Amino acid sequence: MLIFIKHAIVMDILPYLPVILVFTMKMACFLFGYLTIRLGYKLINSGVKGEFKFSAGYHGVKGGLVSSSPGLLFVLLGIILIAFAIKVEKPYEINKNSAPSNLYTPAIPTDFDPLPKPDKK
């Protein structure tokens, strides 16, 4: 009986699995982006110095960042990570009317009735 209940719960959650996975990915990107920005902020406040050059180009548009503080690079990377989490969209379709595949058949037969039926007299 327990296996059948677990199977029913999995079958109810299965159509929403893409939504749950995309939500989890977005929350992880927000968390890592926040932690990266916070690290950059702490580096800027502590006065860590270091030279770096960062340049990028996209469809003919070029940009560059030259700094004496690595904290600015961490802030920029955190902002890019959060922007990715906001922008990314994964298409999904929920169709509850489709028949489940044979992969998700219950391990025990479902033609039994766990509750006894009263005798008709």
Side-chain angles (χ1 to χ4, degrees):
M1 182 69 177
L2 184 62
I3 294 171
F4 182 71
I5 292 172
K6 286 182 181 178
H7 172 72
I9 292 171
V10 169
M11 289 306 292
D12 287 341
I13 293 174
L14 197 60
Y16 301 103
L17 189 61
V19 176
I20 294 168
L21 291 176
V22 169
F23 178 77
T24 305
M25 187 264 317
K26 286 186 177 220
M27 288 298 109
C29 284
F30 276 119
L31 176 68
F32 291 134
Y34 166 74
L35 292 175
T36 305
I37 290 173
R38 193 174 81 178
L39 174 65
Y41 175 75
K42 286 183 178 183
L43 286 173
I44 291 170
N45 274 348
S46 66
V48 175
K49 299 291 180 192
E51 288 290 327
F52 68 90
K53 284 186 177 183
F54 178 75
S55 62
Y58 184 71
H59 291 295
V61 177
K62 293 183 180 181
L65 179 65
V66 177
S67 175
S68 62
S69 173
L72 289 178
L73 180 64
F74 282 101
V75 170
L76 177 68
L77 293 176
I79 290 171
I80 290 172
L81 190 59
I82 290 175
F84 171 76
I86 291 172
K87 185 180 182 317
V88 71
E89 290 184 22
K90 300 289 183 185
Y92 59 89
E93 180 179 329
I94 298 174
N95 188 0
K96 290 186 130 185
N97 296 329
S98 66
S101 68
N102 291 336
L103 178 66
Y104 300 108
T105 56
I108 56 175
T110 59
D111 57 348
F112 72 94
D113 189 7
L115 300 175
K117 296 192 189 290
D119 293 333
K120 293 183 181 178
K121 291 185 181 181

